[in-house]
Amino acid sequence: MPDYHAPVDDMVYLLEEIFKADGVFAELPPYSEVNVDLARTVLEEAGRLCSNVLRPINLSGDIEGCRLENGVVTLPKGFKEAYKAFVEGGWPALSLEPEYGGQGLPRTIQILVDEMLSGSNLSFGLVAGLTRGAVETIEAHAPADIKSKYLPKMIEGTWSGAMALTEAQAGSDLGLLKTSAKPRGDGSYTISGSKIFISSGDQDLTENVIHLVLARLPDAPPGSRGISLFLSPKFLVNEDGTLGARNNVNVGSLEHKMGIHGHATCVMNYDDAQGWLIGEPNRGLNAMFTMMNAERLFVGVQGLGLGEASYQTASAYAKERKQGRVPGGKETCTIIEHPDVRKMLLTMLSFIEAARALTVFTALEMDKEKTHPDAEVRKTATGLIALLTPVIKAAFTDFGFETTVLGQQVLGGHGYIREWGQEQFVRDARIAMIYEGTNGIQAQDLVLRKLTLDAGAPVGTFFAFISETLAQAAGQPATAAIAQRLKTAFEQLQATTKKLQAGDFANATDQNGAANDYLRFFALVTFGWLWLRMALTTIAKGEAANSRDKRKLALAEFFTSRILPQTASLAEQIEAGSKPLMALESDAF
Amino acid sequence: MKVLVPIKQVIDANVRPRVKADGTGVDLANVKLSINPFCEIAVEEAIRLKEKGKASEIVVVSIGPAKAQEIIRSAYALGADRGLFVETEERVEPLAVAKVLQAIIAAEQPGLVILGKQAIDDDSNQTGQMLAGLLGWPQATFASKLEVDGDRATVTREVDGGLETLALTLPAIVTTDLRLNNPRYPTLPNIMKAKKKAIDVKKPEDFGIDITPRLKVLKVSEPPARKPGIKVASAEELVKDLKAAGVL
């Protein structure tokens, strides 16, 4: 099975040279002692753990899968030991609050570690990611006694978390959910109902599993305004923090699925389980949504991480595999000599490195939003995050999946064979396009909500960044062609955006029909922007440019000339409006 | 008992070394550098002794260019208590290192010194032995097992055809082999603490030691590329060729 090498150098390059992270952290009081040097050390050590402990059990975990016997879930061989190493290393606590035992490091470092977890072993990484999501929700909304009772154990990783939202009849539309919660009179509630697709609903890694369950109170109004959030643990917790009786939180079955076989995705039954209200009654969705940006960024990064993993195997293979000859050549050559194979690898790489750049950009904004002393800066950050979250979630997982398919294709027949690991990445990447809000939902969020948020202020701020970079590129002959291509695509994007905000297509049907294409359009221009920034950084170095800088320039050239022109076609597709989508009667399908 | 662990920064074991164009050495610019794997094993062994209550303090020492200070932090992250860094941009040879260590040992008075058996960059495999010679201390090299009891240490060494067990009176020098232990991963809290911990920085002159190299490197070159093989038509021809080559 191929190795995983954590792309720490590229991460440090982005922090140091593109986003000048030392300067950003210096302005954020809780992170004043954080710098790129510390980030590098943390990333290197996390990377070693991912390469040496998590990657070796990725393929075996996929083959073995999870088991449910007599109500007990068992994860594949080696997961328990790996989780022990992960917890002993203190990794679950990385970005969490120091008040409850967290290490209090920035989201920016966390999200880069998340990329490595996803790339080395997504099934494993999800356990930690879900616990973090639950911790952050409890931190933001639970009363103090619940926080001190549950958070320390969850932050150290002794207990895990799960988010129980979906029901058979309530998926994207959670307003339809039926699970009920009745007051017991002692401040707690009785929860009854069944949930499906519950990631990490149970496993044998942790002593306890803390479920955050969406349910309806007896007097709740119908729809999404009648949903409350409850905490319901697998084992009840005594006053002194020790584990008490088993709660009636039971695994009905394990879902049989396409990928992430090493992760237990459960049907959960809450059979009169005891639970506690988190946040206000009927405000459960709002409580959940405060964590949504972070969760969606994490899911987007899963697409990036798997794309990187697939690229590592594909590029190594292409440099060794000998097949065919270069045009006019006599000797058999390695397949990396073939233009078409190069195009596949370059397509992968130009997505991966631009996506990583957007990840760092957005995560730094999240750190600013949380901790910057200036309210104006925090507000701008909030807008940018709101705008970019659906783009990252959907575009990273769409392109990430496509990247894993290319990585599989480079290996030819071997890409279809299990032992090479490439087909697993394809299967594992597929779910990220679906969960945490399908990519269709993300596109709706972008076009129907985010484009007009604050009268279009966030999108205006973001477009101003692109204009600023284009202005910096003016008069630079070395990047003139790259900038020109970006300028063309960017002008088209601005025109289309206007039409969707307030012009010809500013109606729900056209917006709905255009959303998916628009999100891709937006993402491609954003990647083009980041490639221009990286290219300009190379040029600014002049003679001092090293091999990585030159590589960045070549990738910027490739991306803007061979990928970015796809925006012209997307603009034209959107221009056709929703009429062709609605022409056929529903009965005719 | 205080344990002293001298450590060295080397080119990372996973990096493919390249020779500088002018043939003066290996190109280390923009190359990942790490703690020498045998030194990491030495640090781990010292930590295990401390965990067993056999050692009270772990002092790590390194000699090298300014950026090599990083490995003192790596050792802190693993659990070393105190670090001493001797800064020099000069190429240091094993004898010079042993002399600097001798001076440090005179001041620190450790009960045990654990070193890696060799560094994976120059593979000298000399420092531990020279240090034992300079100090007149007993030495056990290539340790695959180490036990400390009072003022005695028992060291198992892997030798051709079996195991050799040595008993030493402390203070002593022990150098580590690959199978002595499996170094732990540093924990995140320890990594963060390590960043803030002080390092005592000195110069070779502080010890009055002349570290000028005694050896001159004439040339460093890549191993010659392997020549392509030939196919022979028959066994007779093969035998003839082998005889002609003087190997039969």
Side-chain angles (χ1 to χ4, degrees):
Chain A
M1 190 195 45
D3 293 339
Y4 175 76
H5 304 284
V8 175
D9 285 344
D10 194 51
M11 293 171 172
V12 170
Y13 160 82
L14 292 168
L15 290 171
E16 197 158 38
E17 301 190 34
I18 303 300
F19 298 110
K20 317 269 187 258
D22 278 351
V24 179
F25 293 138
E27 286 182 3
L28 308 177
Y31 308 135
S32 58
E33 286 181 13
V34 175
N35 55 33
V36 176
D37 185 43
L38 174 68
R40 178 197 284 278
T41 310
V42 171
L43 293 172
E44 272 174 0
E45 290 303 335
R48 277 214 304 163
L49 193 79
C50 288
S51 301
N52 301 342
V53 178
L54 302 186
R55 173 48 71 87
I57 54 168
N58 189 43
L59 181 61
S60 58
D62 178 62
I63 292 169
E64 189 187 331
C66 303
R67 291 194 315 274
L68 173 67
E69 281 159 356
N70 305 321
V72 177
V73 177
T74 309
L75 294 198
K77 206 166 152 260
F79 273 55
K80 212 169 178 167
E81 293 75 13
Y83 189 76
K84 192 165 169 269
F86 185 75
V87 169
E88 282 174 357
W91 297 103
L94 198 145
S95 61
L96 298 172
E97 285 302 319
E99 194 185 342
Y100 298 101
Q103 289 295 328
L105 284 170
R107 172 85 56 190
T108 308
I109 298 180
Q110 177 71 60
I111 203 70
L112 293 172
V113 172
D114 286 342
E115 186 206 314
M116 299 179 194
L117 290 171
S118 307
S120 57
N121 192 330
L122 179 60
S123 289
F124 182 96
L126 288 172
V127 179
L130 285 155
T131 303
R132 193 172 66 239
V135 165
E136 290 176 347
T137 309
I138 295 170
E139 224 166 58
H141 301 285
D145 59 326
I146 290 203
K147 284 192 203 175
S148 51
K149 198 168 188 177
Y150 293 93
L151 288 181
K153 292 272 189 188
M154 292 178 81
I155 288 175
E156 73 184 24
T158 316
W159 298 349
S160 66
M163 314 283 255
L165 287 73
T166 306
E167 296 176 12
Q169 76 294 342
S172 296
D173 189 354
L174 287 168
L176 301 173
L177 70 81
K178 286 181 182 156
T179 297
S180 68
K182 295 192 183 76
R184 291 193 177 202
D186 62 354
S188 70
Y189 294 81
T190 297
I191 298 171
S192 317
S194 187
K195 300 273 180 182
I196 60 169
F197 305 162
I198 306 309
S199 300
S200 232
D202 199 10
Q203 28 68 17
D204 57 346
L205 305 181
T206 59
E207 293 169 4
N208 202 359
V209 184
I210 312 304
H211 291 247
L212 294 184
V213 189
L214 288 180
R216 287 181 183 287
L217 289 166
D219 54 352
S224 59
R225 293 205 171 108
I227 297 172
S228 307
L229 182 64
F230 298 88
L231 181 152
S232 188
K234 176 178 166 185
F235 286 97
L236 297 171
V237 180
N238 298 324
E239 282 315 310
D240 62 357
T242 54
L243 294 185
R246 180 73 203 252
N247 200 3
N248 269 331
V249 172
N250 300 306
V251 181
S253 65
L254 293 180
E255 307 283 8
H256 301 279
K257 52 198 193 291
M258 176 178 173
I260 51 167
H261 289 155
H263 190 84
T265 309
C266 306
V267 172
M268 293 303 309
N269 296 323
Y270 303 89
D271 306 315
D272 293 342
Q274 195 173 4
W276 287 265
L277 183 68
I278 303 290
E280 304 283 307
N282 301 330
R283 301 276 296 161
L285 275 187
N286 300 64
M288 256 331 176
F289 273 120
T290 52
M291 295 309 119
M292 214 57 109
N293 287 335
E295 287 297 305
R296 287 181 172 173
L297 181 63
F298 173 46
V299 174
V301 161
Q302 293 166 20
L304 162 61
L306 289 167
E308 165 74 37
S310 180
Y311 172 78
Q312 290 185 7
T313 302
S315 61
Y317 183 87
K319 284 190 275 191
E320 275 177 16
R321 174 72 170 171
K322 288 186 171 174
Q323 289 289 286
R325 295 172 185 78
V326 288
K330 295 227 161 57
E331 299 269 317
T332 303
C333 67
T334 48
I335 60 171
I336 199 152
E337 302 296 327
H338 300 304
D340 182 58
V341 174
R342 286 179 160 251
K343 191 190 165 211
M344 288 193 275
L345 292 171
L346 287 164
T347 304
M348 298 171 81
L349 204 50
S350 62
F351 154 67
I352 291 165
E353 295 189 4
R356 191 174 290 131
L358 185 58
T359 302
V360 173
F361 174 85
T362 311
L364 285 169
E365 290 299 323
M366 293 179 87
D367 287 326
K368 286 185 206 166
E369 183 194 32
K370 192 175 161 197
T371 63
H372 200 286
D374 183 344
E376 272 306 304
V377 176
R378 292 201 301 273
K379 189 171 171 237
T380 307
T382 301
L384 284 170
I385 296 159
L387 176 72
L388 293 173
T389 296
V391 178
I392 288 179
K393 196 282 175 181
F396 283 21
T397 58
D398 279 352
F399 285 113
F401 173 72
E402 289 164 26
T403 298
T404 61
V405 172
L406 286 173
Q408 180 183 35
Q409 193 71 14
V410 170
L411 270 74
H414 294 296
Y416 202 66
I417 300 295
R418 226 174 195 185
E419 66 180 87
W420 282 90
Q422 294 295 76
E423 60 90 38
Q424 185 192 348
F425 297 141
V426 174
R427 288 185 286 105
D428 285 358
R430 190 64 184 82
I431 183 60
M433 300 158 75
I434 299 169
Y435 59 24
E436 203 62 41
T438 64
N439 286 0
I441 294 283
Q442 303 301 325
Q444 301 300 316
D445 179 39
L446 174 67
V447 173
L448 279 90
R449 285 204 209 106
K450 303 299 170 63
L451 288 187
T452 47
L453 189 72
D454 290 340
V459 74
T461 308
F462 188 68
F463 283 174
F465 283 128
I466 301 180
S467 301
E468 190 187 319
T469 306
L470 282 167
Q472 281 164 11
Q476 286 282 7
T479 49
I482 294 170
Q484 185 52 48
R485 294 177 203 124
L486 175 64
K487 189 162 175 275
T488 307
F490 178 46
E491 280 165 1
Q492 274 175 329
L493 179 67
Q494 286 172 296
T496 305
T497 304
K498 273 203 187 104
K499 284 188 185 172
L500 287 165
Q501 281 171 320
D504 297 351
F505 297 139
N507 63 79
T509 309
D510 280 327
Q511 286 170 334
N512 190 309
N516 213 351
D517 289 334
Y518 178 81
L519 188 143
R520 198 176 177 92
F521 189 178
F522 190 103
L524 287 169
V525 171
T526 304
F527 293 157
W529 167 57
L530 292 158
W531 277 119
L532 179 60
R533 281 186 70 161
M534 291 189 263
L536 288 170
T537 304
T538 300
I539 298 304
K541 283 189 171 180
E543 289 295 307
N546 60 28
S547 56
R548 182 187 40 236
D549 297 320
K550 289 171 190 158
R551 188 165 148 277
K552 293 282 179 189
L553 188 59
L555 281 166
E557 179 65 33
F558 167 81
F559 182 83
T560 53
S561 61
R562 294 298 302 252
I563 305 286
L564 189 61
Q566 290 169 12
T567 52
S569 142
L570 290 164
E572 198 175 323
Q573 284 162 234
I574 295 167
E575 202 61 37
S578 61
K579 227 171 148 190
L581 307 177
M582 305 312 287
L584 213 52
E585 296 291 331
S586 294
D587 283 348
F589 284 87
Chain B
M1 180 183 68
K2 189 190 281 184
V3 180
L4 189 88
V5 186
I7 55 178
K8 183 179 181 185
Q9 188 184 52
V10 295
I11 187 165
D12 189 85
N14 296 313
V15 171
R16 193 169 162 260
R18 282 173 210 280
V19 172
K20 280 192 220 164
D22 62 4
T24 56
V26 173
D27 190 0
L28 294 180
N30 297 317
V31 168
K32 191 178 177 212
L33 302 171
S34 299
I35 183 169
N36 176 44
F38 292 108
C39 298
E40 197 179 10
I41 292 169
V43 175
E44 173 68 32
E45 196 63 20
I47 297 166
R48 290 187 188 189
L49 285 175
K50 195 177 167 192
E51 285 170 347
K52 282 186 225 154
K54 308 276 184 183
S56 53
E57 189 188 21
I58 301 163
V59 181
V60 289
V61 182
S62 191
I63 305 169
K67 68 175 174 182
Q69 267 196 42
E70 283 169 24
I71 62 162
I72 301 272
R73 300 216 179 273
S74 307
Y76 280 163
L78 289 171
D81 297 303
R82 198 150 58 75
L84 183 60
F85 185 69
V86 183
E87 191 181 317
T88 174
E89 296 301 318
E90 182 78 78
R91 183 171 59 85
V92 282
E93 290 174 354
L95 184 59
V97 174
K99 284 181 178 169
V100 172
L101 292 176
Q102 184 189 14
I104 291 169
I105 286 165
E108 293 280 346
Q109 298 287 323
L112 179 65
V113 180
I114 311 177
L115 306 88
K117 71 168 180 180
Q118 67 198 73
I120 60 160
D121 50 1
D122 56 19
D123 281 336
S124 292
N125 184 1
Q126 295 167 0
T127 305
Q129 294 88 330
M130 286 176 170
L131 180 60
L134 289 171
L135 291 165
W137 285 10
Q139 60 173 308
T141 55
F142 305 178
S144 65
K145 196 174 168 201
L146 167 66
E147 275 173 279
V148 174
D149 191 14
D151 66 344
R152 307 270 296 169
T154 311
V155 172
T156 306
R157 315 173 67 229
E158 291 178 3
V159 293
D160 289 346
L163 299 173
E164 181 182 45
T165 307
L166 302 178
L168 298 91
T169 306
L170 300 179
I173 307 289
V174 173
T175 75
T176 64
D177 210 339
L178 202 59
R179 279 169 291 279
L180 178 60
N181 61 48
N182 203 354
R184 70 195 61 198
Y185 292 96
T187 68
L188 182 60
N190 284 346
I191 293 169
M192 312 238 315
K193 278 185 218 141
K195 284 279 165 193
K196 290 179 193 162
K197 229 166 158 170
I199 297 173
D200 187 8
V201 182
K202 293 243 171 12
K203 300 262 178 204
E205 303 86 87
D206 298 338
F207 302 98
I209 290 164
D210 175 17
I211 59 156
T212 315
R214 311 292 171 96
L215 303 173
K216 202 172 144 195
V217 175
L218 299 179
K219 196 174 132 210
V220 177
S221 59
E222 304 255 352
R226 207 173 140 214
K227 289 189 190 120
I230 53 159
K231 263 189 188 167
V232 292
S234 63
E236 287 79 12
E237 200 186 321
L238 175 64
V239 171
K240 202 176 110 230
D241 284 358
L242 287 175
K243 277 187 174 157
V247 291
L248 267 187

